[in-house]
């Protein structure tokens, strides 16, 4: 890994830590009065999701720029000049490491096995991009999926502030979330895998070596399985809201769930 990418990765890790522990609490209390009334466990997750949204916007928009304007990468998806992609991947790896540390420190309330698998698979694959500069087009294509994350986090913000699920903003965000998740994570699967299969048997693919090939294909399969599971959950939730089945739960059900709230809070698998 070159000094530039290592510096960006370290800066990303530290920057997201500061955003979580310093910037988010101070900014959120000013913008959202309800933030100060949340329990401690939800304050932690609130800050975590705000950081997640900032990361998603930075990386997602950078991905679109590369996809539209980086002709070298688009012309050679396996060995094209990875300069810009490596910077974006370094930002993401810094974020993934920060988030793994956060999950480990708050496992009893934020622990999520699916998301740990997601992070580890991504780090495993992106490590090849950073160290060998291979597969820049495919790495960039994968990161575009982050553009669905702000809508997922916004849904959690609404729920934490006790917005009714029938509220217009909640419904609009829910529909936007389902649409965005489908477009950038599910609908692109056939196109992505067509591009992957098109490289099989080529000289460029053979030059990767078995290690990079396995890391690339296995991580993509794992991520797409997780994305399919999450798409199903989101589609089911969106259907309930649109059909009027997602309103407030009966009081006794709410009380039962509140009694176990301190045991586990789902942070990411929305």
């Amino acid at each position: 890994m070159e000094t530039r990418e290592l510096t960006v990765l370290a800066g990303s890790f530290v920057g997201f830590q500061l955003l979580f522990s310093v910037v988010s609490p101070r900014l959120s209390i000013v913008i959202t009065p309800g933030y100060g009334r949340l329990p401690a466990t939800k304050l932690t997750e609130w800050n975590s999701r705000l950081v997640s949204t900032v990361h998603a916007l930075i990386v997602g928009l950078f991905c679109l720029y590369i996809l539209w304007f980086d002709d070298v990468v688009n012309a050679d998806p396996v060995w094209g000049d990875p300069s810009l992609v490596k910077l974006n991947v370094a930002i993401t790896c810094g974020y993934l490491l920060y988030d793994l540390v956060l999950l480990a420190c708050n496992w009893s309330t934020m622990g999520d096995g699916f998301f740990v698998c997601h992070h580890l698979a991504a780090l495993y694959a992106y490590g090849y991009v950073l160290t060998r500069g291979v597969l820049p087009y495919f790495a960039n294509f994968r990161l575009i999926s982050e553009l669905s994350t702000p809508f997922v986090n916004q849904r959690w913000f609404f729920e934490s502030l006790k917005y009714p699920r029938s509220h217009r903003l909640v419904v609009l965000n829910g529909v936007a979330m389902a649409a965005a998740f489908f477009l950038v994570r599910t609908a692109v699967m056939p196109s992505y895998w067509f591009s992957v299969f098109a490289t099989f048997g080529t000289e460029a693919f053979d030059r990767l070596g078995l290690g990079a090939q396995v890391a690339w294909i296995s991580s993509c399969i794992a991520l797409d399985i997780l994305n399919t599971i999450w798409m199903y959950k989101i589609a089911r939730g969106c259907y309930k809201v649109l059909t009027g089945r997602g309103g407030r739960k009966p009081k006794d059900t709410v009380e039962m769930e509140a009694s176990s709230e301190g045991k586990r809070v789902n942070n990411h698998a929305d």
Side-chain angles (χ1 to χ4, degrees):
M1 188 186 305
E2 297 180 3
T3 303
R4 184 185 66 163
E5 284 78 40
L6 187 60
T7 301
V8 171
L9 189 155
S12 170
F13 178 82
V14 173
F16 287 126
Q17 290 282 4
L18 290 174
L19 182 59
F20 169 82
S21 59
V22 179
V23 178
S24 177
R26 296 181 180 180
L27 183 64
S28 297
I29 196 67
V30 173
I31 296 177
T32 309
Y35 172 84
R37 296 190 292 270
L38 295 174
T41 54
K42 286 206 169 185
L43 289 176
T44 299
E45 186 165 2
W46 179 291
N47 297 329
S48 169
R49 286 182 180 269
L50 189 144
V51 174
S52 171
T53 295
V54 171
H55 163 261
L57 291 174
I58 293 173
V59 170
L61 293 176
F62 199 0
C63 282
L64 291 180
Y65 174 83
I66 294 171
L67 183 65
W68 291 334
F69 299 109
D70 196 333
D71 296 332
V72 178
V73 167
N74 293 326
D76 187 354
V78 180
W79 292 97
D81 180 11
S83 299
L84 291 179
V85 174
K86 288 174 74 173
L87 288 179
N88 213 18
V89 168
I91 294 172
T92 291
C93 287
Y95 168 77
L96 293 175
L97 291 173
Y98 138 80
D99 205 40
L100 284 174
V101 171
L102 181 66
L103 290 173
C105 293
N106 299 274
W107 186 258
S108 62
T109 56
M110 296 175 63
D112 190 315
F114 274 141
F115 227 69
V116 171
C117 291
H118 173 278
H119 283 14
L120 293 178
L123 285 170
Y124 177 52
Y126 289 147
Y128 279 94
V129 181
L130 290 177
T131 57
R132 293 184 54 189
V134 298
L135 304 167
Y137 172 84
F138 297 103
N140 186 70
F141 200 103
R142 275 293 175 185
L143 282 175
I144 294 174
S145 64
E146 289 298 328
L147 289 172
S148 66
T149 301
F151 300 103
V152 177
N153 289 335
Q154 187 59 49
R155 189 202 70 168
W156 187 90
F157 292 143
F158 281 141
E159 287 190 351
S160 296
L161 294 175
K162 302 189 184 304
Y163 275 63
R165 292 189 178 182
S166 58
H167 193 286
R168 179 176 297 180
L169 290 177
V170 176
V171 174
L172 288 176
N173 180 73
V175 173
M177 178 181 70
F181 200 98
F182 175 76
L183 288 174
V184 301
R185 291 179 183 260
T186 306
V188 297
M189 285 184 190
S191 174
Y192 178 83
W193 283 104
F194 178 81
S195 298
V196 171
F197 294 144
T199 68
F200 288 2
T202 64
E203 187 270 340
F205 181 81
D206 293 338
R207 282 175 57 199
L208 287 173
L210 182 61
Q213 292 168 359
V214 171
W216 175 25
I217 303 302
S218 62
S219 63
C220 287
I221 291 174
L223 292 173
D224 278 342
I225 290 174
L226 291 174
N227 283 330
T228 300
I229 293 172
W230 288 330
M231 182 72 253
Y232 168 74
K233 292 183 177 181
I234 288 173
R236 185 177 61 181
C238 185
Y239 171 78
K240 289 181 179 179
V241 171
L242 292 177
T243 57
R245 300 179 182 180
R248 289 288 179 195
K249 297 178 181 179
K251 183 178 179 181
D252 57 342
T253 304
V254 173
E255 291 175 348
M256 288 175 61
E257 292 184 348
S259 65
S260 61
E261 183 179 81
K263 298 180 181 178
R264 180 182 178 91
V265 177
N266 192 347
N267 184 35
H268 295 292
D270 295 280

